[in-house]
Amino acid sequence: QVQLVESGGGLVQAGGSLRLSCVASGRTFRSYDMAWFRQAPGKEREFVAAIRKNGGVTYYADSVKGRFTMSRDNAKATVSLQMDSLRPEDTAVYYCAASGSTILSTIRRSESYANWGQGTQVTVSS
């Protein structure tokens, strides 16, 4: 098990930027694939980005590709999501998630992740 705590959400105008962070507890952070998901009011939780254990490979939803960048620092047990060129449709609660084992076909599925943070609100005004 790993405990996850997100931070960095807030209110920003369209076109602006935010940087989300997720700090993990425990000494086994480097053994987890990590991901960001988001959930807007009245909508299902959706995949945003994921990064492999060693940070060598990242995956993005088509809706954020080219605007968002996910990274990790295993020494600090932290993952980050740099969000640029934000749009009103990016408004959601953003969740950090960890999985001990994912495969390419399931890395974008929320059910692949057993560990979740409490979420942080991102609001983009038009």
Side-chain angles (χ1 to χ4, degrees):
Q1 285 283 353
V2 60
Q3 306 298 319
L4 305 172
V5 179
E6 303 99 332
S7 62
L11 173 64
V12 64
Q13 289 188 333
S17 298
L18 281 175
R19 185 176 181 87
L20 305 183
S21 294
C22 173
V23 179
S25 64
R27 300 180 179 179
T28 59
F29 175 76
R30 62 182 69 245
S31 68
Y32 288 90
D33 293 328
M34 301 295 296
W36 288 96
F37 288 79
R38 66 186 182 186
Q39 188 167 19
K43 295 187 177 181
E44 293 187 353
R45 189 168 298 188
E46 66 173 357
F47 171 79
V48 175
I51 190 167
R52 289 293 190 186
K53 298 175 176 64
N54 62 5
V57 183
T58 52
Y59 307 85
Y60 297 97
D62 288 343
S63 59
V64 306
K65 198 172 297 183
R67 300 188 298 122
F68 290 12
T69 303
M70 185 174 184
S71 60
R72 70 186 294 162
D73 184 336
N74 284 341
K76 296 182 179 179
T78 301
V79 292
S80 298
L81 186 68
Q82 177 65 40
M83 306 186 294
D84 299 319
S85 302
L86 283 162
R87 304 167 180 169
E89 53 264 40
D90 294 318
T91 295
V93 177
Y94 283 70
Y95 297 91
C96 176
S99 173
S101 179
T102 61
I103 59 177
L104 182 58
S105 62
T106 62
I107 198 168
R108 290 176 171 82
R109 298 181 185 175
S110 59
E111 56 265 31
S112 298
Y113 298 84
N115 305 278
W116 293 83
Q118 82 289 347
T120 185
Q121 177 71 46
V122 171
T123 303
V124 184
S125 63
S126 57

